Amino acid sequence: MCSDMHHCNLDHTTPRGHSVPFQSVDVLSEKHDAVMTERQSIMATEKDEGLLALTLEMKQCVSCEQTLPKSDFYKRAGKGVHSWCKQCCRANAKKIKRQGKPKAVRKDLCYGIVVAALSKEGIPSIANVMHIDVLAWGLVRICTKRLTADEATGHRISFTLKQRTEGIIADIIAIVDDDNTLYFFQANDPHFYLDGQLKSSVTFGTSVCGNAANSITLEYAHRHENWFSLVNETCDELSGRLSRGELDMNTHLGR
């Protein structure tokens, strides 16, 4: 045994004959700690990135309030996903069908045209439910109107006596022209009312209008042509009211 550690040869030789300097336990421990710290930092970064990606792919359903993957929500025609998850949409649609089974939809009828157009845009809907022409997303009430020819003014839409006296049960009015082009308007659009009362009829598509409140001009109509996003926006607004307890479904659907 060497009596002087300073003169001891503590180097060791590898199987290939290379001399490797001796490293103390402290040096090895420091290197090990450095490696582990770097590894933990990398793992933490990867975990944060993974959580962020997972968060971006999750959404809370306003109906059941569950946080679910976005794949559990129906896609919208424009971008994003619906505010209700698929399960809640299906359950609500089944509930509506049980309470008022819709009749067979004729595609040549006004509401049949609207249902077919909504379907192409990825918006689920059913026709002729209770007193509602079309019900989209199981929540949005749509009143459908067909343009009729008028010798004096060109075209117009008409409202029934019951609609004028009892009020229109709708959130949106969808107008179908001769070419089956759709125009979506909010049901409270001032063009449909006079002194707070629903008009008996409204002139549609006039090129010149002395009083914009008495008819729908071509310019105004074109702004509402194929406005499918209005259906989704209305659904979001109604869903929010429903989740806050501000909307009663029985009253909303006229039961």
Side-chain angles (χ1 to χ4, degrees), residues 121-183:
E121 296 297 322
I123 301 174
S125 62
I126 52 179
N128 203 13
V129 181
M130 292 172 284
H131 305 291
I132 303 168
D133 291 344
V134 175
L135 188 65
W137 294 116
L139 192 61
V140 182
R141 306 165 301 176
I142 302 176
C143 172
T144 61
K145 291 293 178 182
R146 169 73 80 173
L147 281 179
T148 56
D150 185 287
E151 293 182 0
T153 59
H155 290 86
R156 66 174 55 246
I157 61 169
S158 300
F159 294 99
T160 65
L161 177 61
K162 183 177 181 180
Q163 288 174 332
R164 299 198 307 271
T165 55
E166 298 181 10
I168 188 168
I169 303 176
D171 306 295
I172 293 174
I173 295 176
I175 299 174
V176 185
D177 70 6
D178 296 335
D179 298 324
N180 290 343
T181 301
L182 300 182
Y183 303 85

Side-chain angles (χ1 to χ4, degrees), residues 153-155 203-210 214-221:
T153 59
H155 290 86
T203 305
F204 187 90
T206 55
S207 57
V208 179
C209 178
N214 290 331
S215 66
I216 296 175
T217 63
L218 284 173
E219 180 183 1
Y220 191 74

Side-chain angles (χ1 to χ4, degrees), residues 6-255:
H6 293 285
H7 296 286
C8 286
N9 184 9
L10 297 180
D11 295 352
H12 65 277
T13 305
T14 66
R16 294 189 178 185
H18 298 291
S19 178
V20 180
F22 172 79
Q23 294 183 338
S24 69
V25 174
D26 291 339
V27 173
L28 291 175
S29 178
E30 289 177 0
K31 289 185 175 181
H32 176 268
D33 292 343
V35 171
M36 292 302 296
T37 300
E38 183 179 1
R39 181 176 296 176
Q40 291 173 356
S41 177
I42 293 173
M43 291 175 65
T45 301
E46 292 177 344
K47 182 179 179 181
D48 290 341
E49 291 176 349
L51 289 174
L52 177 60
L54 182 62
T55 301
L56 293 174
E57 292 301 316
M58 303 294 284
K59 180 179 176 67
Q60 186 181 39
C61 172
V62 299
S63 178
C64 64
E65 299 185 349
Q66 292 187 72
T67 301
L68 304 166
K70 287 187 177 179
S71 59
D72 286 350
F73 295 79
Y74 288 112
K75 291 183 179 180
R76 285 183 163 179
K79 61 179 181 179
V81 295
H82 184 50
S83 56
W84 283 29
C85 68
K86 292 179 180 179
Q87 186 175 356
C88 287
C89 285
R90 288 194 291 263
N92 192 50
K94 288 181 180 178
K95 182 179 178 181
I96 296 298
K97 287 183 179 180
R98 286 196 303 268
Q99 295 174 343
K101 188 175 181 180
K103 300 176 182 178
V105 177
R106 285 177 51 189
K107 293 184 178 180
D108 59 320
L109 294 179
C110 196
Y111 52 73
I113 294 169
V114 174
V115 167
L118 291 174
S119 178
K120 288 182 180 180
E121 296 297 322
I123 301 174
S125 62
I126 52 179
N128 203 13
V129 181
M130 292 172 284
H131 305 291
I132 303 168
D133 291 344
V134 175
L135 188 65
W137 294 116
L139 192 61
V140 182
R141 306 165 301 176
I142 302 176
C143 172
T144 61
K145 291 293 178 182
R146 169 73 80 173
L147 281 179
T148 56
D150 185 287
E151 293 182 0
T153 59
H155 290 86
R156 66 174 55 246
I157 61 169
S158 300
F159 294 99
T160 65
L161 177 61
K162 183 177 181 180
Q163 288 174 332
R164 299 198 307 271
T165 55
E166 298 181 10
I168 188 168
I169 303 176
D171 306 295
I172 293 174
I173 295 176
I175 299 174
V176 185
D177 70 6
D178 296 335
D179 298 324
N180 290 343
T181 301
L182 300 182
Y183 303 85
F184 293 94
F185 299 85
Q186 293 177 320
N188 60 357
D189 191 300
H191 289 81
F192 303 127
Y193 297 85
L194 180 63
D195 296 330
Q197 297 295 319
L198 192 66
K199 299 176 183 178
S200 60
S201 63
V202 179
T203 305
F204 187 90
T206 55
S207 57
V208 179
C209 178
N211 186 347
N214 290 331
S215 66
I216 296 175
T217 63
L218 284 173
E219 180 183 1
Y220 191 74
H222 287 320
R223 293 208 304 266
H224 293 75
E225 182 176 341
N226 294 326
W227 191 14
F228 294 102
S229 61
L230 177 63
V231 180
N232 291 325
E233 292 168 5
T234 303
C235 182
D236 284 344
E237 189 268 330
L238 293 173
S239 296
R241 290 175 55 194
L242 186 64
S243 64
R244 294 191 299 270
E246 300 172 357
L247 181 67
D248 179 75
M249 285 297 293
N250 290 324
T251 304
H252 181 67
L253 298 179
R255 295 168 184 162

